[in-house]
């Protein structure tokens, strides 16, 4: 087995890349170069309603403009639904998922009816209020007979027990800052009974990312700090699915002039707009202030 490090940049083609993406992509690329490792690009296009071929094309153009080279062929998640289905089958066989037929409005109403503080997940969404966790058999049979659409949710407490852990326990992973590796940890239970396959898509970000990181032999997951809480869930899924454990590096986020995180939804300045305004790749490297001496790729 090769001991080369394998890095990946995994954008979702549902918008144009901005400086935050440039930071992540360049960091992964440079780390691969410095360690004699491999650099992969993975297109995370499971959200068929939002992914667009023109955004995917623009991603390749932006990365090439930044001076990055990656291995071909690029893995596109939209071609891998049957692989995600196999992972779901494994979770089903462990009795760790259940169908949830609730609509968003029903979930909102059930949460609103809760008295006292109701927990939210790290993305700020209220925990699932359990509507279909233990439904009457008749209700389940009726929905099945109607062929009603459903999401699959993870029985988070049972999943933790199956992994040999206490439901409220934290799971640990190796977190590196490039120099030192230490143990980080977080509680998967902070996500509640998270959706593992969506109603409209037969997988979820969490499932697809752990399946593909393993399939591609990713040794180092280098991504934004905003995804750090999700790593607890990813580690749990890796354990349940018997997948290897990568090392993680959650890097800082690039902020705009008002100190806010750049995002596609906030219409942050895109790399193509910066390029059109005359910015050079070397200016991008200076502007994002990488955590090491600035070095242009050869
Ligand atoms: N596709 C995710 C995004 O664009 C990144 C996933 C990851 O790096 O784990 O935010």
């Amino acid at each position: 087995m090769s001991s080369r490090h394998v890095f990946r940049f995994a954008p979702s083609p549902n918008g144009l890349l901005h400086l935050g993406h440039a930071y992540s992509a360049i960091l992964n690329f440079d780390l691969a170069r410095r360690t004699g490792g491999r650099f992969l690009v993975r297109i995370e296009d499971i959200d068929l309603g939002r992914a667009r071929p023109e955004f995917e094309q623009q991603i390749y153009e932006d990365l090439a403009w930044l001076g990055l080279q990656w291995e071909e062929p690029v893995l596109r998640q939209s071609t891998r639904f049957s692989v995600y289905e196999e992972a779901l089958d494994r979770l089903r066989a462990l009795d760790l998922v259940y169908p949830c037929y609730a609509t968003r409005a029903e979930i909102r109403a059930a949460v609103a009816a809760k008295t006292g503080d109701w927990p939210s997940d790290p993305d700020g969404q209220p925990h699932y209020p359990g509507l279909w966790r233990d439904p009457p058999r008749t209700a389940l049979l009726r929905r099945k007979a109607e062929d009603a659409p459903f999401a699959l949710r993870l029985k988070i407490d049972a999943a933790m027990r199956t992994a040999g852990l206490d439901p409220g326990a934290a799971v640990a992973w190796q977190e590196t800052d490039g120099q030192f590796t230490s143990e980080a940890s977080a509680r998967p239970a902070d996500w509640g009974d998270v959706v593992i396959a969506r109603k409209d898509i037969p997988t979820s970000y969490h499932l697809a990312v752990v399946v593909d990181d393993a399939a591609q032999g990713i040794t180092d997951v280098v991504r934004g700090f905003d995804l750090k809480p999700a790593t607890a869930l990813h580690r749990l899924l890796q354990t349940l699915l018997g997948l290897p454990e990568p090392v993680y590096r959650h890097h800082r986020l690039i902020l705009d002039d008002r100190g806010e995180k750049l995002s596609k939804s906030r219409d942050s300045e895109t790399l193509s707009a910066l390029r059109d305004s005359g910015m050079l790749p070397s200016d991008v490297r200076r502007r994002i202030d990488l955590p090491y001496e600035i070095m242009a790729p050869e």
Side-chain angles (χ1 to χ4, degrees):
M1 216 175 88
S2 153
S3 59
R4 288 174 78 193
H5 288 262
V6 187
F7 296 85
R8 70 1 178 231
F9 173 60
S12 305
N14 54 18
L16 297 171
L17 301 187
H18 51 60
L19 282 173
H21 297 108
Y23 184 100
S24 211
I26 294 174
L27 184 58
N28 273 287
F29 176 79
D30 285 9
L31 289 170
R33 277 284 163 101
R34 282 161 183 241
T35 57
R38 300 168 56 202
F39 173 65
L40 311 180
V41 172
R42 181 169 74 226
I43 298 295
E44 300 213 322
D45 57 350
I46 56 171
D47 195 337
L48 302 174
R50 294 174 67 214
R52 299 256 181 287
E54 55 274 26
F55 288 136
E56 183 178 334
Q57 211 39 54
Q58 191 63 53
I59 287 170
Y60 301 136
E61 278 173 37
D62 288 346
L63 296 180
W65 174 67
L66 289 172
L68 312 191
Q69 293 110 44
W70 55 95
E71 292 182 15
E72 297 283 357
V74 165
L75 188 109
R76 299 165 74 240
Q77 291 191 320
S78 58
T79 63
R80 292 178 50 78
F81 287 116
S82 62
V83 183
Y84 308 138
E85 190 59 41
E86 284 169 27
L88 278 176
D89 281 344
R90 182 147 180 178
L91 296 176
R92 275 194 200 98
L94 293 168
D95 191 22
L96 295 181
V97 290
Y98 60 93
C100 168
Y101 293 91
T103 62
R104 277 168 207 249
E106 284 165 348
I107 293 174
R108 254 198 315 274
V111 169
K114 297 277 177 194
T115 49
D117 276 347
W118 187 249
S120 290
D121 71 21
D123 285 345
Q125 296 300 317
H127 276 198
Y128 179 63
L131 297 173
W132 287 86
R133 193 178 292 137
D134 205 4
R137 223 180 113 67
T138 46
L140 199 55
L141 289 176
R142 200 180 64 232
R143 295 300 171 109
K144 268 193 187 154
E146 287 165 355
D147 212 9
F150 58 87
L152 284 176
R153 289 184 178 271
L154 186 67
K155 298 179 185 174
I156 193 76
D157 289 358
M160 287 293 283
R161 283 196 206 94
T162 301
L165 297 161
D166 194 64
V171 299
W173 66 87
Q174 297 300 306
E175 178 85 24
T176 181
D177 65 358
Q179 213 180 352
F180 300 107
T181 301
S182 57
E183 197 173 276
S185 66
R187 289 158 30 102
D190 288 347
W191 292 92
D193 280 2
V194 69
V195 169
I196 220 68
R198 289 166 40 168
K199 261 187 195 173
D200 53 339
I201 301 165
T203 186
S204 59
Y205 159 63
H206 300 301
L207 186 68
V209 85
V210 297
V211 167
D212 287 344
D213 282 341
Q216 296 190 287
I218 304 299
T219 58
D220 295 68
V221 173
V222 178
R223 60 187 178 191
F225 195 75
D226 49 342
L227 290 169
K228 192 168 180 180
T231 303
L233 206 50
H234 298 176
R235 282 292 307 119
L236 174 61
L237 289 171
Q238 285 157 359
T239 303
L240 296 171
L241 296 169
L243 304 176
E245 173 184 0
V247 169
Y248 288 87
R249 175 173 178 154
H250 292 97
H251 59 71
R252 71 181 183 85
L253 302 176
I254 304 288
L255 304 178
D256 65 15
D257 299 342
R258 288 166 303 173
E260 291 190 39
K261 183 185 134 185
L262 300 183
S263 82
K264 287 173 188 158
S265 50
R266 216 177 284 124
D267 246 356
S268 297
E269 220 169 353
T270 63
L271 289 181
S272 44
L274 293 171
R275 177 167 69 238
D276 290 349
S277 72
M279 201 168 187
L280 298 172
S282 51
D283 299 325
V284 172
R285 280 180 172 265
R286 255 191 302 280
R287 169 89 189 272
I288 59 183
D289 194 15
L290 290 153
Y292 44 81
E293 186 188 319
I294 293 166
M295 195 175 83
E298 63 267 21

